[in-house]
Amino acid sequence: MKIIYADYIYTPSGYIRKQAVAFSDTIKEIGPFEILESKYPDAQMIQTVPHSVLYPGFINTHVHLEFSANKTSLKYGSFMPWLDSVIVHRDDLVGCCTNAMMMEECRSMLRSGVTTFGAVSSFGNELEVCEKAPQRVVFFNELIGSVAQYADMLYGDFVERVRASLSCDKEARITPAVAIHAPYSVHPLLLHKAVGIAKQHKLVLSAHFLESQAEREWLEHGEGEFRAFFKKYFNTQTPVSNIQEFIHAFDTYPAHFVHCTHASKEELNYLASKGHSIAHCPRSNRYLGVGRLAIETLKLPFSVATDGLSSNDSLSIFDEMRAALFLHNELPIQELAIALLKSVTSDAADILKLNNGRIAVGKMADFSVVTLPESPRREEEIALWTLLHTKEVSSVFVAGQKVY
Ligand code: BEZ
Ligand code: FE2
């Protein structure tokens, strides 16, 4: 047993002062330090430095580790030129992305307090790194392929990858999951089979959805910038799916939709009615010029996530939350800071169906300790000071073990 004490603890009912948490791999009790100390006299005591706030470990629901080598290869500014540059540079970028490089990015997430991440994997290359990473990983096996002719081959490869992630050592804390690349890039044959697999094995399911205006135009009318793209790379002029068909494929199983920057209010409300959620990636959206997701009107839960270094400059969840403060510059800043922290803790845990993300009895003992530069003058501002002053967290625990 261990007992950790901090000036403040972030709990589902707000920040609580001068309390401690007793934990092993899960949280056993929350209460005054003296009481826990007398109840568990053999426990290891962990006293955090002054002005520390104990948070549940942060959760980054959507990242692509395999693009960790990108620095200047991919073209930022607008979606279609970016996607074109991904096609041109993908093999080089993925090819030169070593395990050491990906592990360093896992460690950079850890330094920002991320104890769980959702890794989208196109090829399965990251599995070894994810098994060795200190964090919990929801391993999203991604399915991509719009050409019907290759569907069987692609599906066979996908099933193999799902199987590999299902048979990881329990110690590695890998949770297998399924990702559909996007409505324009996945043939409905594959889409329905993949949703079926997720349902059958109760796996978390995710999909990029309506990220750009170009995607919308292509899916609605077979027009726009995607037309030349599909002519060039696939010698086709017709989309394999449309918005309605894609949405309805998920009607009976909740999914985590990534971006949705070009989804209409009606579509977003429909997603909400079916119990879906959204991954909101503010820096990726800005760098690819796809506009702002109006998080203030969403009726469904959302997480803030970094996406990969294919459309970002770091995998720090604090860099991402600070970016969100600026992207959503018309929202009241204190309330936004509170909502952002909720989006990467309890909401993200619910989205990934994990028993963490909250400091509450029975939850997994994943923590990040944030140390503020001085005692907060007003308690109602702790969330904002946390976002503004945290470049790196002070320490991190996963399943009760100190990992940073
Ligand atoms: C495909 O594999 O069919 C595909 C990949 C990226 C964009 C569009 C289609
Ligand atoms: Fe993504």
Side-chain angles (χ1 to χ4, degrees):
M1 189 74 82
K2 294 172 185 148
I3 298 173
I4 189 163
Y5 173 88
D7 283 4
Y8 290 94
I9 301 175
Y10 175 87
T11 74
S13 47
Y15 291 94
I16 57 172
R17 235 170 103 74
K18 303 217 178 291
Q19 300 275 300
V21 178
F23 62 96
S24 55
D25 58 341
T26 58
I27 297 173
K28 302 296 180 208
E29 202 167 335
I30 302 165
F33 184 76
E34 301 73 31
I35 292 185
L36 296 189
E37 192 184 28
S38 61
K39 198 161 171 188
Y40 306 102
D42 298 330
Q44 179 193 336
M45 305 298 169
I46 304 161
Q47 171 78 57
T48 60
V49 297
H51 324 312
S52 290
V53 186
L54 183 69
Y55 281 94
F58 302 115
I59 302 170
N60 184 8
T61 66
H62 182 80
V63 58
H64 305 255
L65 286 177
E66 66 201 341
F67 285 104
S68 295
N70 177 55
K71 293 281 184 283
T72 64
S73 298
L74 302 181
K75 201 168 173 132
Y76 287 4
S78 175
F79 187 78
M80 251 5 256
W82 171 81
L83 186 61
D84 213 77
S85 73
V86 171
I87 303 290
V88 172
H89 295 285
R90 184 172 54 186
D91 289 350
D92 284 352
L93 284 173
V94 173
C96 76
C97 185
T98 61
N99 280 4
M101 221 176 241
M102 291 190 276
M103 187 55 92
E104 177 42 36
E105 292 308 327
C106 296
R107 296 209 70 83
S108 86
M109 279 194 271
L110 193 70
R111 291 192 293 273
S112 78
V114 167
T115 56
T116 302
F117 59 85
V120 182
S121 167
S122 324
F123 305 105
N125 299 345
E126 315 88 326
L127 188 56
E128 197 184 329
V129 168
C130 291
E131 284 178 291
K132 290 184 181 147
Q135 290 109 329
R136 299 180 198 278
V137 182
V138 176
F139 194 81
F140 284 103
N141 295 284
E142 188 177 60
L143 189 52
I144 184 166
S146 57
V147 182
Q149 210 181 326
Y150 302 132
D152 286 345
M153 187 263 291
L154 293 168
Y155 186 69
D157 173 73
F158 164 77
V159 169
E160 271 314 304
R161 288 184 281 124
V162 171
R163 206 164 281 154
S165 62
L166 277 165
S167 58
C168 286
D169 198 300
K170 220 176 156 353
E171 298 245 303
R173 303 191 194 96
I174 300 277
T175 306
V178 170
I180 310 290
H181 180 256
Y184 57 84
S185 60
V186 178
H187 195 280
L189 272 172
L190 288 174
L191 168 63
H192 291 286
K193 281 178 143 182
V195 173
I197 287 242
K199 234 170 136 169
Q200 182 192 342
H201 296 279
K202 297 191 168 62
L203 307 179
V204 177
L205 180 61
S206 179
H208 294 110
F209 186 49
L210 289 174
E211 182 173 4
S212 63
Q213 180 59 26
E215 176 176 339
R216 188 157 196 112
E217 273 176 55
W218 175 246
L219 295 175
E220 281 187 328
H221 311 294
E223 298 288 354
E225 290 175 289
F226 261 106
R227 200 174 162 86
F229 176 91
F230 271 96
K231 179 91 186 85
K232 180 170 164 193
Y233 293 109
F234 297 95
N235 196 27
T236 168
Q237 314 241 31
T238 40
V240 288
S241 192
N242 60 56
I243 293 171
Q244 288 310 314
E245 178 183 28
F246 192 77
I247 286 189
H248 288 304
F250 299 87
D251 273 354
T252 56
Y253 197 69
H256 190 37
F257 287 99
V258 184
H259 302 310
C260 300
T261 25
H262 287 268
S264 67
K265 249 199 172 115
E266 292 70 32
E267 287 153 359
L268 290 170
N269 288 344
Y270 186 78
L271 295 182
S273 77
K274 294 293 174 191
H276 299 305
S277 61
I278 290 184
H280 171 47
C281 308
R283 283 183 293 170
S284 173
N285 293 167
R286 176 67 183 99
Y287 294 154
L288 304 193
V290 297
R292 185 187 80 94
L293 178 73
I295 54 172
E296 65 278 13
T297 56
L298 291 178
K299 295 187 172 68
L300 64 174
F302 72 92
S303 63
V304 164
T306 59
D307 216 339
L309 289 173
S310 32
S311 55
N312 214 336
D313 56 274
S314 87
L315 299 185
S316 159
I317 202 71
F318 275 96
D319 286 350
E320 202 62 50
M321 287 190 281
R322 276 190 291 274
L325 289 179
F326 287 86
L327 186 67
H328 304 288
N329 64 311
E330 296 201 344
L331 306 190
I333 199 163
Q334 304 287 351
E335 286 162 42
L336 179 56
I338 291 166
L340 294 172
L341 283 165
K342 185 166 172 279
S343 87
V344 299
T345 53
S346 52
D347 287 346
D350 294 346
I351 288 167
L352 295 183
K353 299 181 192 161
L354 294 173
N355 186 34
N356 58 9
R358 286 178 179 86
I359 298 185
V361 173
K363 295 287 168 189
M364 299 193 288
D366 299 353
F367 306 117
S368 289
V369 177
V370 163
T371 304
L372 298 174
E374 61 179 30
S375 189
R377 298 288 168 100
R378 293 163 297 276
E379 284 185 18
E380 63 274 21
E381 295 171 357
I382 296 176
L384 183 63
W385 301 142
T386 295
L387 297 199
L388 299 194
H389 291 297
T390 310
K391 307 298 180 271
E392 288 190 1
V393 300
S394 310
S395 56
V396 179
F397 295 79
V398 174
Q401 302 295 324
K402 191 170 190 293
V403 290
Y404 175 70

